[in-house]
C-alpha cells in the first residue's frame, strides 16, 4: 500500500468530520507509544513550555540517578539512553529554546555525574557533540536569549 503525501493528508484533514478525526487520532495513538506521547504533549503540555521543560529536567534527574560509574560500558549505555530520552522530548517540542535548555541541563548533569569524560573517550565525544549542537541552536534564538545561554555554555 502506498502512503499519501503530506499535502494530500492535509487537504483530507480539512474536510473530514471532527468525530471521524477524533477516531483517527485515537487509532494512531494505539499503535505506538511515541505517537501517544506526542499526542499527550500536544494536548496537555504544549501550552506551558516552561512547565514541560521542568518536567523533562525532573525526569532527567531521575535517569541520571541510575548511572553506575563502576562499569564504563553500563555507564555509556545508560547515558546514551538518557540522551535518547532528551532528544525525543526535544523532538516533541520543536522549539530551539527548549532544545538549548534541555541539552544544557543534560550536559551539566553529565559533568556532575562523576564520570571522567576525558578518560572515557566515547562519553567525552558525546559530550562535545552536544555542546556543538547547543552552539548551533543558539544562533537561531533571539539575541538576549543567546547571551543568557552563552553564559551557561561557557561554564560547560
Amino acid at each position: 500500500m502506498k502512503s499519501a503525501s503530506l499535502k494530500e493528508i492535509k487537504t483530507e484533514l480539512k474536510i473530514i468530520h471532527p468525530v471521524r478525526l477524533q477516531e483517527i487520532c485515537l487509532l494512531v495513538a494505539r499503535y505506538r507509544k511515541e505517537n501517544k506521547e506526542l499526542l499527550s504533549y500536544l494536548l496537555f503540555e504544549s501550552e506551558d513550555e516552561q512547565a514541560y521543560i521542568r518536567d523533562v529536567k525532573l525526569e532527567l534527574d531521575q535517569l541520571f540517578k541510575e548511572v553506575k560509574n563502576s562499569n564504563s560500558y553500563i555507564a555509556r549505555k545508560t547515558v546514551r539512553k538518557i540522551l535518547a530520552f532528551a532528544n525525543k522530548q526535544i523532538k516533541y517540542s520543536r522549539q530551539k529554546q527548549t532544545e538549548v535548555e534541555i541539552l544544557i541541563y543534560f550536559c551539566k548533569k553529565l559533568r556532575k555525574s562523576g564520570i571522567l569524560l576525558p578518560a572515557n573517550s566515547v562519553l567525552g565525544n558525546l559530550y562535545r557533540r552536544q555542546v556543538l549542537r547547543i552552539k548551533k541552536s543558539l544562533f537561531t534564538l533571539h539575541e538576549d536569549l543567546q547571551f543568557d545561554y552563552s553564559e551557561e555554555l561557557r561554564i560547560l
Side-chain angles (χ1 to χ4, degrees):
M1 181 174 147
K2 184 180 175 187
S3 62
S5 70
L6 284 177
K7 184 179 184 220
E8 293 170 337
I9 292 172
K10 185 177 179 180
T11 36
E12 186 64 25
L13 287 174
K14 286 181 182 177
I15 60 172
I16 200 166
H17 192 270
V19 174
R20 177 71 178 130
L21 182 61
Q22 181 183 12
E23 292 172 359
I24 291 171
C25 286
L26 291 173
L27 186 63
V28 167
R30 279 189 213 138
Y31 278 103
R32 291 191 64 185
K33 181 181 177 187
E34 196 169 288
N35 293 343
K36 191 182 217 177
E37 290 172 349
L38 177 59
L39 278 173
S40 296
Y41 167 76
L42 292 172
L43 293 173
F44 305 114
E45 298 170 343
S46 63
E47 298 299 319
D48 188 4
E49 196 68 23
Q50 291 305 315
Y52 176 69
I53 292 170
R54 277 193 308 275
D55 292 342
V56 171
K57 286 179 179 181
L58 289 173
E59 186 69 29
L60 288 175
D61 287 338
Q62 293 298 320
L63 291 172
F64 267 105
K65 287 179 183 174
E66 298 173 7
V67 176
K68 294 177 178 45
N69 297 339
S70 59
N71 187 335
S72 177
Y73 171 75
I74 294 174
R76 284 194 310 260
K77 192 171 180 174
T78 307
V79 169
R80 282 193 201 119
K81 178 179 142 186
I82 295 168
L83 181 60
F85 168 78
N87 285 333
K88 186 167 47 168
Q89 303 308 312
I90 290 167
K91 183 174 74 171
Y92 293 157
S93 173
R94 297 183 321 212
Q95 293 183 17
K96 290 296 182 183
Q97 183 177 354
T98 303
E99 177 180 3
V100 169
E101 277 195 50
I102 291 174
L103 288 177
I104 285 175
Y105 192 76
F106 170 81
C107 289
K108 284 180 181 178
K109 292 299 286 186
L110 184 58
R111 296 268 313 249
K112 290 180 182 176
S113 68
I115 299 171
L116 299 175
L117 295 177
N120 192 329
S121 63
V122 173
L123 289 180
N125 290 336
L126 182 138
Y127 177 81
R128 283 187 287 282
R129 279 193 309 271
Q130 299 315 307
V131 170
L132 288 174
R133 185 174 163 196
I134 293 168
K135 287 179 182 177
K136 185 178 177 183
S137 296
L138 263 180
F139 291 116
T140 62
L141 296 177
H142 188 268
E143 292 175 4
D144 294 337
L145 291 173
Q146 282 183 18
F147 179 75
D148 294 340
Y149 290 126
S150 63
E151 292 298 318
E152 289 187 45
L153 191 59
R154 275 193 206 109
I155 296 169
L156 296 177

